[in-house]
Amino acid sequence: MLKSSILFTLLSSLATPFASAVTVYTASATTTADLSAYSVASNDQTILQVPAAPNDQAATVLAQLYDGGMTGMGNPVNGGFLGFSVELSVAAMLILRPEFLNYCAILQARGGSVTIRVGGNTQDKAILAVDGNPSGKTIDKYKGTDASPTETPDVHFTLDLFYAMASISKLVKANWFFGIPFISVDSDGNAGLVVQYSRQILGSNLLGLQLANEPDLYGPHLKKQADYSEQNFFDDTKTMIQKLPITDPILTGPSVCCMWDTNTVLNDGYLENFKDQLAFVDVMHYPNNNCAQGADAIVPQDIFPAYLNHQRVQNVVTPYASTAQLSLAAGKQMMMMETNTASCGGFPGVSDSFAASLWGVDYGLQMAYNNFTYALFHFGGQNVYYNPFTPPPTNMTKYRQWTTGAIFYSNIVVAEALGKSGHSQVMDLQLDNNNENRAGYAIYEQGVATRAVFINYVSNPGASDYTVQLAIGGQQTNLPSKTPLSVRVKYLRADSVSVKYNITWANQTMGQQYASDGRLYGDVDVQTIQCDTNTNLCNIPVPSPSAALVFLTDEAFTNSGGNTADGSESTLTFPTTY
């Protein structure tokens, strides 16, 4: 068992300036695995056909902002808003590697912190082995007995996991949610140990403890009796709270996903009965699923256009507006504990494409606009399509690096769009009469318009570009113009919405498949656009396909890590060999 002091010393020794030498991994004929024979989802090379470009799209659209804020803005959020949900069973594979620290450091440099949940389906029956696992490993997995389509293993984990999480917090300002085992209703005292040690070791970096995970599926997945009901869940929750060493609001719940209605659960007594221990109302939602087999399976090409549609993003999120109202009225924050493009690992050619990068930016900002406090993109193992990043298979770790998923670029853009102030409020501008092919958001901090984001979902370079005419006040508002003299713009770009790699953020990239050490490479390209002082408009090009992040003030650029991201300041990063 790796002791905490040793682990922290190891991780601390990895911290170096960005300019540190990077090890180049070279495959030889005697060691290279045949990737074409490696048939798991993380190695899938499916490229889908790009949807046809729409006709009669306006070439120029107005984005009218107002000084002092806009009616309907979301509640303030911080730059760690869009984080990660890591399945407990794969946590050691991810977080005990310096590459993971590099990915986190990218987000911390822009948003000030990174938010991570460890849990998922494997938390419910997990065992904390306080004295260590017989194998000496941080996590041991055993074949599970559930009927879950994700084939959930049973997990035994050690205190080293908590110590690693605490060390990561010291390095990259990570804040955590952790899942409490629920199925045994703490009949063996195991859940109490998880609560005790997680709080003791993580301290103020522990944001919340998730009590139950998708309880509406306990019956269908045979974790509980087949007719497990909402009332059974309430009874189990009450029993758990009575047994756990909790006297303050630290829990998150009800973590409903699929069969029960969250508002019904809250109104039926969940909020009232457990409000003293509840810190967050959480939900778990995937807009589609890839769980069905055979004739019932969704064809990825058929569903592809749904991830290139702003109105579809709105339709996913807006049903939770009433949930947010219930939560806020009870003095609780609301969060999306687990989400991604589609459940059961996502879709090939969709979840791992540039379409997912654009969709993730839109989805993340739409949740912030609808009063979510955090939203976490889920990780699985090697056999999922939607991972923000994935380590190489075990037998390739000596000569191959990690693969950065397309959706990780969404995390970067949203972190930078929200910045470090903790006061960012997001407004959906319903750009171009809420055009489904475009999206626009304004970000305000304490009444000041600081940034804007514009998305072009159409994949028809050159022919489907558009220009946003951005104004703050002035125009037809009968208010004084506050439009700046100039703005700075960064672009999220790729040649097509169907590509998996060659994605760039401000001209930097995370690299090709099996070629990333978790750092951005390339020369940063931040474009400065002079605004028209006669019309009081800033003309922002939005190429096809792309997302544009517009910095409306110098302070906003700096507070989003602009000085780090443009290379004028060094970034704390971690070499991947030692």
Side-chain angles (χ1 to χ4, degrees), residues 144-217:
T145 57
D146 298 342
S148 167
T150 55
E151 299 181 353
T152 305
D154 292 342
V155 169
H156 293 193
F157 69 100
T158 72
L159 291 175
D160 286 335
L161 182 60
F162 291 143
Y163 285 120
M165 292 161 63
S167 297
I168 290 167
S169 293
K170 294 177 182 178
L171 293 171
V172 293
K173 296 184 181 178
N175 295 311
W176 304 88
F177 291 92
F178 197 85
I180 304 173
F182 190 85
I183 295 303
S184 69
V185 199
D186 204 34
S187 60
D188 54 0
N190 177 60
L193 291 175
V194 172
V195 172
Q196 174 189 338
Y197 283 105
S198 63
R199 302 197 72 175
Q200 175 183 316
I201 296 170
L202 297 176
S204 61
N205 295 118
L206 181 66
L207 296 176
L209 291 165
Q210 184 191 7
L211 190 62
N213 182 78
E214 300 176 346
D216 44 336
L217 294 181

Coordinates of all heavy atoms in Angstrom, one line a residue, residues 144-217:
G144 N -19.1 -8.4 -10.5 CA -20.3 -8.0 -9.9 C -21.5 -8.9 -10.2 O -21.4 -9.8 -11.1
T145 N -22.6 -8.8 -9.5 CA -23.8 -9.6 -9.7 C -25.0 -8.8 -10.1 O -26.1 -9.4 -10.2 CB -24.1 -10.4 -8.4 OG1 -24.3 -9.4 -7.3 CG2 -23.0 -11.3 -8.0
D146 N -24.8 -7.5 -10.4 CA -25.9 -6.7 -10.8 C -26.4 -7.0 -12.2 O -25.6 -7.6 -13.0 CB -25.6 -5.2 -10.7 CG -25.2 -4.7 -9.3 OD1 -25.6 -5.5 -8.4 OD2 -24.6 -3.7 -9.2
A147 N -27.6 -6.6 -12.5 CA -28.1 -6.7 -13.9 C -27.9 -5.5 -14.7 O -28.6 -5.2 -15.7 CB -29.6 -7.1 -13.9
S148 N -27.0 -4.6 -14.3 CA -26.7 -3.3 -15.0 C -26.2 -3.6 -16.4 O -25.3 -4.5 -16.6 CB -25.8 -2.5 -14.2 OG -25.3 -1.4 -14.9
P149 N -26.6 -2.8 -17.4 CA -26.0 -2.9 -18.7 C -24.6 -2.5 -18.8 O -23.9 -2.8 -19.7 CB -26.9 -2.0 -19.6 CG -27.5 -1.0 -18.6 CD -27.7 -1.8 -17.3
T150 N -24.1 -1.8 -17.7 CA -22.7 -1.4 -17.7 C -21.8 -2.5 -17.0 O -20.6 -2.3 -16.9 CB -22.5 -0.1 -17.0 OG1 -23.1 -0.2 -15.7 CG2 -23.2 1.0 -17.7
E151 N -22.4 -3.6 -16.6 CA -21.6 -4.8 -16.0 C -20.8 -4.3 -14.9 O -19.5 -4.4 -14.8 CB -20.8 -5.5 -17.1 CG -21.6 -6.1 -18.2 CD -20.8 -6.8 -19.2 OE1 -19.6 -6.7 -19.2 OE2 -21.4 -7.4 -20.1
T152 N -21.4 -3.7 -13.9 CA -20.7 -3.0 -12.8 C -20.0 -4.0 -11.9 O -20.5 -5.0 -11.4 CB -21.7 -2.3 -11.9 OG1 -22.5 -1.4 -12.7 CG2 -21.1 -1.6 -10.8
P153 N -18.6 -3.8 -11.7 CA -17.9 -4.7 -10.8 C -18.1 -4.3 -9.3 O -18.5 -3.2 -9.0 CB -16.4 -4.5 -11.3 CG -16.4 -3.1 -11.7 CD -17.8 -2.9 -12.4
D154 N -17.7 -5.2 -8.4 CA -17.6 -4.8 -7.0 C -16.2 -4.3 -6.8 O -15.2 -4.8 -7.3 CB -17.9 -6.1 -6.2 CG -19.3 -6.6 -6.2 OD1 -20.2 -5.8 -6.7 OD2 -19.5 -7.7 -5.9
V155 N -16.1 -3.2 -6.0 CA -14.9 -2.5 -5.8 C -14.5 -2.5 -4.3 O -15.3 -2.2 -3.4 CB -15.0 -1.1 -6.3 CG1 -13.8 -0.2 -5.9 CG2 -15.2 -1.0 -7.8
H156 N -13.2 -2.8 -4.0 CA -12.6 -2.6 -2.7 C -11.5 -1.6 -2.9 O -10.6 -1.8 -3.7 CB -12.0 -3.9 -2.2 CG -13.1 -4.9 -1.9 ND1 -12.8 -6.1 -1.1 CD2 -14.4 -5.0 -2.2 CE1 -13.9 -6.8 -1.0 NE2 -14.9 -6.2 -1.7
F157 N -11.6 -0.5 -2.1 CA -10.6 0.6 -2.3 C -10.0 0.9 -0.9 O -10.5 0.6 0.2 CB -11.2 1.8 -2.9 CG -12.2 2.6 -2.0 CD1 -11.8 3.7 -1.3 CD2 -13.5 2.2 -1.9 CE1 -12.7 4.4 -0.5 CE2 -14.4 2.9 -1.2 CZ -14.0 4.0 -0.5
T158 N -8.8 1.5 -0.9 CA -8.0 1.8 0.3 C -8.0 3.3 0.6 O -8.4 4.1 -0.2 CB -6.6 1.2 0.2 OG1 -5.9 2.1 -0.7 CG2 -6.6 -0.2 -0.3
L159 N -7.5 3.6 1.8 CA -7.3 5.0 2.2 C -6.4 5.8 1.2 O -6.5 7.0 1.2 CB -6.8 5.1 3.6 CG -7.8 4.6 4.7 CD1 -7.1 4.7 6.0 CD2 -9.0 5.5 4.7
D160 N -5.6 5.0 0.5 CA -4.6 5.7 -0.4 C -5.4 6.6 -1.4 O -4.9 7.6 -1.9 CB -3.8 4.7 -1.1 CG -2.7 4.1 -0.2 OD1 -2.3 4.8 0.7 OD2 -2.2 3.0 -0.5
L161 N -6.6 6.1 -1.8 CA -7.4 6.9 -2.7 C -7.7 8.3 -2.2 O -7.5 9.3 -2.9 CB -8.7 6.2 -3.1 CG -9.6 6.9 -4.1 CD1 -8.8 7.1 -5.4 CD2 -10.9 6.1 -4.3
F162 N -8.1 8.4 -0.9 CA -8.4 9.7 -0.3 C -7.1 10.5 -0.1 O -7.1 11.7 -0.4 CB -9.0 9.5 1.1 CG -10.4 8.9 1.1 CD1 -10.8 8.0 2.0 CD2 -11.3 9.3 0.1 CE1 -12.1 7.5 2.0 CE2 -12.6 8.8 0.0 CZ -13.0 7.9 1.0
Y163 N -6.0 9.8 0.2 CA -4.7 10.6 0.4 C -4.3 11.1 -1.0 O -3.7 12.2 -1.1 CB -3.7 9.7 1.0 CG -3.8 9.4 2.4 CD1 -4.0 8.1 2.9 CD2 -3.8 10.5 3.3 CE1 -4.2 7.9 4.3 CE2 -4.0 10.3 4.7 CZ -4.2 9.0 5.2 OH -4.3 8.8 6.5
A164 N -4.5 10.3 -2.1 CA -4.1 10.8 -3.4 C -5.0 12.0 -3.8 O -4.5 13.0 -4.3 CB -4.3 9.7 -4.4
M165 N -6.3 12.0 -3.5 CA -7.2 13.1 -3.8 C -6.8 14.3 -3.0 O -6.7 15.4 -3.6 CB -8.6 12.7 -3.4 CG -9.2 11.6 -4.3 SD -10.6 10.7 -3.7 CE -11.8 12.0 -3.5
A166 N -6.4 14.2 -1.7 CA -5.9 15.3 -0.9 C -4.7 15.9 -1.5 O -4.5 17.1 -1.5 CB -5.7 14.9 0.5
S167 N -3.7 15.1 -2.0 CA -2.5 15.6 -2.5 C -2.8 16.3 -3.8 O -2.2 17.4 -4.1 CB -1.5 14.4 -2.8 OG -1.2 13.8 -1.6
I168 N -3.7 15.8 -4.6 CA -4.0 16.5 -5.9 C -4.6 17.9 -5.6 O -4.4 18.8 -6.3 CB -5.0 15.6 -6.7 CG1 -4.3 14.4 -7.2 CG2 -5.7 16.4 -7.8 CD1 -5.2 13.3 -7.8
S169 N -5.4 18.0 -4.6 CA -6.0 19.2 -4.2 C -5.0 20.3 -3.9 O -5.1 21.5 -4.2 CB -7.0 19.1 -3.0 OG -8.1 18.3 -3.3
K170 N -3.9 19.8 -3.3 CA -2.8 20.8 -2.9 C -2.0 21.2 -4.2 O -1.5 22.3 -4.2 CB -1.8 20.1 -1.9 CG -2.4 19.8 -0.6 CD -1.5 19.1 0.4 CE -2.1 18.8 1.7 NZ -1.2 18.1 2.6
L171 N -2.1 20.4 -5.2 CA -1.3 20.8 -6.4 C -2.1 21.6 -7.4 O -1.6 22.5 -8.1 CB -0.8 19.5 -7.1 CG 0.3 18.7 -6.3 CD1 0.5 17.4 -6.9 CD2 1.6 19.6 -6.2
V172 N -3.4 21.2 -7.6 CA -4.2 21.8 -8.7 C -5.6 22.3 -8.2 O -6.5 22.5 -9.0 CB -4.4 20.9 -9.9 CG1 -3.1 20.6 -10.5 CG2 -5.1 19.6 -9.4
K173 N -5.7 22.6 -6.9 CA -7.0 23.2 -6.3 C -8.2 22.4 -6.8 O -9.2 22.9 -7.3 CB -7.1 24.6 -6.7 CG -6.0 25.5 -6.2 CD -6.2 27.0 -6.5 CE -5.1 27.8 -5.9 NZ -5.2 29.3 -6.3
A174 N -8.1 21.1 -6.6 CA -9.2 20.2 -6.9 C -10.2 20.1 -5.7 O -9.8 20.0 -4.5 CB -8.8 18.8 -7.2
N175 N -11.5 20.2 -6.0 CA -12.5 20.0 -5.0 C -13.3 18.8 -5.4 O -13.6 18.5 -6.6 CB -13.4 21.3 -4.9 CG -12.7 22.5 -4.4 OD1 -12.0 22.4 -3.4 ND2 -12.8 23.6 -5.1
W176 N -13.8 18.1 -4.4 CA -14.3 16.7 -4.6 C -15.8 16.5 -4.1 O -16.2 17.1 -3.1 CB -13.4 15.7 -3.9 CG -12.0 15.8 -4.3 CD1 -11.0 16.6 -3.7 CD2 -11.3 15.1 -5.3 NE1 -9.8 16.5 -4.3 CE2 -10.0 15.6 -5.3 CE3 -11.7 14.1 -6.2 CZ2 -9.0 15.0 -6.2 CZ3 -10.8 13.6 -7.1 CH2 -9.4 14.1 -7.1
F177 N -16.4 15.6 -4.9 CA -17.6 14.9 -4.4 C -17.3 13.4 -4.3 O -16.5 12.9 -5.2 CB -18.8 15.1 -5.3 CG -19.3 16.5 -5.4 CD1 -18.9 17.4 -6.3 CD2 -20.3 16.9 -4.5 CE1 -19.4 18.7 -6.3 CE2 -20.8 18.2 -4.5 CZ -20.3 19.1 -5.4
F178 N -17.8 12.7 -3.3 CA -17.5 11.3 -3.2 C -18.7 10.5 -2.9 O -19.6 11.0 -2.1 CB -16.4 11.0 -2.1 CG -15.8 9.7 -2.2 CD1 -14.7 9.5 -3.1 CD2 -16.3 8.6 -1.5 CE1 -14.1 8.2 -3.2 CE2 -15.7 7.3 -1.7 CZ -14.6 7.2 -2.5
G179 N -18.9 9.4 -3.5 CA -20.1 8.5 -3.3 C -20.0 7.6 -2.2 O -19.0 6.9 -2.0
I180 N -21.0 7.6 -1.3 CA -21.1 6.7 -0.2 C -21.8 5.4 -0.6 O -22.8 5.4 -1.2 CB -22.0 7.4 0.9 CG1 -21.4 8.8 1.3 CG2 -22.0 6.5 2.2 CD1 -22.3 9.5 2.3
P181 N -21.2 4.3 -0.1 CA -21.9 3.0 -0.4 C -23.3 3.0 0.3 O -23.4 3.4 1.4 CB -21.0 2.0 0.3 CG -19.6 2.7 0.4 CD -19.9 4.1 0.5
F182 N -24.3 2.5 -0.5 CA -25.7 2.7 0.0 C -26.4 1.4 0.1 O -27.3 1.3 0.9 CB -26.4 3.6 -1.0 CG -27.8 4.0 -0.6 CD1 -27.9 5.1 0.3 CD2 -28.9 3.4 -1.0 CE1 -29.2 5.6 0.7 CE2 -30.2 3.8 -0.5 CZ -30.3 4.9 0.3
I183 N -26.0 0.4 -0.7 CA -26.9 -0.8 -0.8 C -27.1 -1.5 0.5 O -28.2 -2.0 0.9 CB -26.3 -1.8 -1.8 CG1 -26.3 -1.1 -3.2 CG2 -27.1 -3.1 -1.9 CD1 -27.7 -0.7 -3.7
S184 N -26.1 -1.6 1.4 CA -26.2 -2.4 2.6 C -26.8 -1.5 3.7 O -27.1 -2.0 4.8 CB -24.8 -2.8 3.1 OG -24.0 -1.7 3.5
V185 N -27.1 -0.3 3.4 CA -27.7 0.7 4.4 C -26.8 0.7 5.7 O -27.3 0.8 6.8 CB -29.2 0.4 4.7 CG1 -29.9 1.6 5.3 CG2 -29.9 -0.1 3.5
D186 N -25.5 0.7 5.4 CA -24.5 0.7 6.5 C -24.7 -0.3 7.6 O -24.4 -0.1 8.8 CB -24.5 2.1 7.2 CG -23.1 2.4 7.8 OD1 -22.1 1.9 7.3 OD2 -23.1 3.1 8.9
S187 N -25.2 -1.5 7.2 CA -25.4 -2.6 8.2 C -24.1 -3.1 8.7 O -24.0 -3.7 9.8 CB -26.2 -3.7 7.5 OG -25.5 -4.2 6.4
D188 N -23.0 -2.8 7.9 CA -21.7 -3.3 8.4 C -20.8 -2.2 8.8 O -19.6 -2.4 9.1 CB -21.0 -4.1 7.2 CG -21.0 -3.2 5.9 OD1 -21.4 -2.0 5.9 OD2 -20.4 -3.7 4.9
G189 N -21.3 -0.9 8.9 CA -20.5 0.2 9.3 C -19.5 0.7 8.2 O -18.8 1.7 8.5
N190 N -19.6 0.1 7.0 CA -18.6 0.5 6.0 C -18.9 2.0 5.5 O -17.9 2.7 5.3 CB -18.7 -0.5 4.8 CG -17.9 -0.1 3.6 OD1 -16.6 0.0 3.8 ND2 -18.5 0.2 2.5
A191 N -20.1 2.3 5.3 CA -20.5 3.7 4.8 C -20.0 4.7 5.8 O -19.5 5.8 5.5 CB -22.0 3.8 4.6
G192 N -20.1 4.4 7.1 CA -19.7 5.3 8.1 C -18.2 5.6 8.1 O -17.7 6.7 8.3
L193 N -17.4 4.5 7.7 CA -16.0 4.7 7.6 C -15.7 5.6 6.4 O -14.7 6.4 6.5 CB -15.3 3.3 7.4 CG -15.3 2.4 8.6 CD1 -14.7 1.0 8.2 CD2 -14.5 3.0 9.8
V194 N -16.4 5.4 5.3 CA -16.2 6.3 4.1 C -16.4 7.7 4.5 O -15.6 8.6 4.1 CB -17.1 5.8 3.0 CG1 -17.0 6.8 1.8 CG2 -16.7 4.4 2.5
V195 N -17.5 8.0 5.2 CA -17.8 9.4 5.6 C -16.7 9.9 6.6 O -16.2 11.0 6.4 CB -19.2 9.4 6.4 CG1 -19.4 10.8 7.0 CG2 -20.3 9.1 5.4
Q196 N -16.3 9.1 7.5 CA -15.3 9.5 8.5 C -14.0 9.9 7.9 O -13.5 11.0 8.1 CB -15.1 8.4 9.5 CG -14.0 8.7 10.5 CD -13.6 7.5 11.4 OE1 -14.5 6.6 11.5 NE2 -12.4 7.4 11.9
Y197 N -13.5 9.0 7.0 CA -12.1 9.2 6.5 C -12.1 10.2 5.4 O -11.1 10.9 5.2 CB -11.5 7.8 6.1 CG -11.0 7.0 7.2 CD1 -11.7 5.9 7.7 CD2 -9.9 7.3 7.9 CE1 -11.3 5.1 8.7 CE2 -9.4 6.6 9.0 CZ -10.1 5.5 9.4 OH -9.7 4.7 10.4
S198 N -13.2 10.2 4.6 CA -13.2 11.2 3.5 C -13.2 12.6 4.0 O -12.5 13.5 3.5 CB -14.4 11.0 2.6 OG -15.6 11.2 3.3
R199 N -14.0 12.8 5.1 CA -14.0 14.2 5.7 C -12.7 14.5 6.4 O -12.2 15.6 6.3 CB -15.2 14.3 6.6 CG -16.5 14.0 6.0 CD -17.7 14.5 6.8 NE -17.8 16.0 6.7 CZ -18.8 16.7 7.3 NH1 -19.8 16.0 7.9 NH2 -18.8 18.0 7.2
Q200 N -12.2 13.5 7.1 CA -10.9 13.7 7.8 C -9.8 14.0 6.9 O -9.0 15.0 7.2 CB -10.6 12.5 8.6 CG -9.3 12.5 9.4 CD -9.1 11.2 10.1 OE1 -9.9 10.6 10.8 NE2 -7.8 10.7 10.0
I201 N -9.7 13.3 5.8 CA -8.5 13.5 4.9 C -8.7 14.6 3.9 O -7.7 15.3 3.6 CB -8.2 12.1 4.2 CG1 -7.9 11.0 5.2 CG2 -7.1 12.3 3.1 CD1 -7.8 9.6 4.6
L202 N -9.9 14.8 3.3 CA -10.1 15.8 2.3 C -10.4 17.2 2.9 O -10.2 18.2 2.2 CB -11.2 15.3 1.4 CG -10.9 14.1 0.6 CD1 -12.1 13.7 -0.3 CD2 -9.7 14.3 -0.3
G203 N -10.9 17.2 4.1 CA -11.2 18.5 4.7 C -12.1 19.4 3.9 O -13.1 19.0 3.4
S204 N -11.7 20.7 3.8 CA -12.5 21.6 3.1 C -12.6 21.4 1.6 O -13.4 22.1 0.9 CB -12.0 23.1 3.4 OG -10.6 23.2 2.9
N205 N -11.7 20.5 1.1 CA -11.8 20.2 -0.4 C -12.9 19.2 -0.7 O -13.1 18.9 -1.9 CB -10.4 19.7 -0.8 CG -9.3 20.7 -0.8 OD1 -8.4 20.5 0.0 ND2 -9.5 21.8 -1.5
L206 N -13.6 18.7 0.3 CA -14.7 17.9 0.1 C -16.0 18.7 0.0 O -16.4 19.3 1.0 CB -14.8 16.8 1.2 CG -16.0 15.8 1.0 CD1 -15.8 14.9 -0.2 CD2 -16.2 15.0 2.3
L207 N -16.6 18.8 -1.2 CA -17.8 19.6 -1.4 C -19.0 18.9 -0.9 O -20.0 19.5 -0.4 CB -17.9 20.0 -2.8 CG -16.8 20.9 -3.4 CD1 -17.1 21.1 -4.9 CD2 -16.8 22.3 -2.7
G208 N -19.1 17.6 -1.1 CA -20.3 16.9 -0.8 C -20.1 15.4 -0.9 O -19.2 14.9 -1.5
L209 N -21.0 14.6 -0.2 CA -21.0 13.2 -0.2 C -22.3 12.7 -0.8 O -23.4 13.1 -0.3 CB -20.9 12.6 1.2 CG -19.5 12.8 1.9 CD1 -19.6 12.6 3.4 CD2 -18.4 11.9 1.2
Q210 N -22.2 12.0 -1.9 CA -23.4 11.6 -2.6 C -24.0 10.3 -1.9 O -23.4 9.3 -1.8 CB -23.0 11.2 -4.1 CG -24.2 10.8 -4.9 CD -23.9 10.3 -6.3 OE1 -22.7 10.0 -6.5 NE2 -24.8 10.0 -7.1
L211 N -25.3 10.5 -1.5 CA -25.9 9.4 -0.8 C -26.9 8.7 -1.8 O -28.0 9.3 -2.1 CB -26.7 10.0 0.4 CG -27.3 8.9 1.3 CD1 -26.2 8.1 2.0 CD2 -28.1 9.6 2.4
A212 N -26.5 7.6 -2.3 CA -27.2 6.8 -3.3 C -26.8 7.2 -4.7 O -26.5 8.4 -4.9 CB -28.7 6.8 -3.1
N213 N -26.9 6.3 -5.6 CA -26.6 6.6 -7.0 C -27.6 5.9 -7.9 O -27.7 4.7 -8.0 CB -25.2 6.1 -7.4 CG -24.8 6.4 -8.8 OD1 -24.4 7.5 -9.1 ND2 -24.9 5.4 -9.7
E214 N -28.5 6.7 -8.6 CA -29.5 6.2 -9.4 C -30.4 5.2 -8.7 O -30.6 4.1 -9.1 CB -29.0 5.6 -10.7 CG -28.2 6.6 -11.5 CD -27.5 6.0 -12.8 OE1 -27.4 4.7 -12.8 OE2 -27.1 6.7 -13.6
P215 N -31.0 5.6 -7.5 CA -31.8 4.7 -6.8 C -33.1 4.2 -7.5 O -33.6 3.1 -7.2 CB -32.2 5.5 -5.5 CG -32.1 6.9 -6.0 CD -31.0 7.0 -6.9
D216 N -33.5 5.0 -8.5 CA -34.6 4.5 -9.3 C -34.3 3.3 -10.2 O -35.2 2.7 -10.7 CB -35.2 5.7 -10.2 CG -34.1 6.5 -10.9 OD1 -33.0 6.5 -10.4 OD2 -34.5 7.1 -11.9
L217 N -33.0 3.0 -10.3 CA -32.6 1.8 -11.0 C -32.2 0.6 -10.1 O -31.8 -0.5 -10.6 CB -31.5 2.1 -12.0 CG -31.8 3.1 -13.1 CD1 -30.5 3.3 -14.0 CD2 -32.9 2.6 -14.0

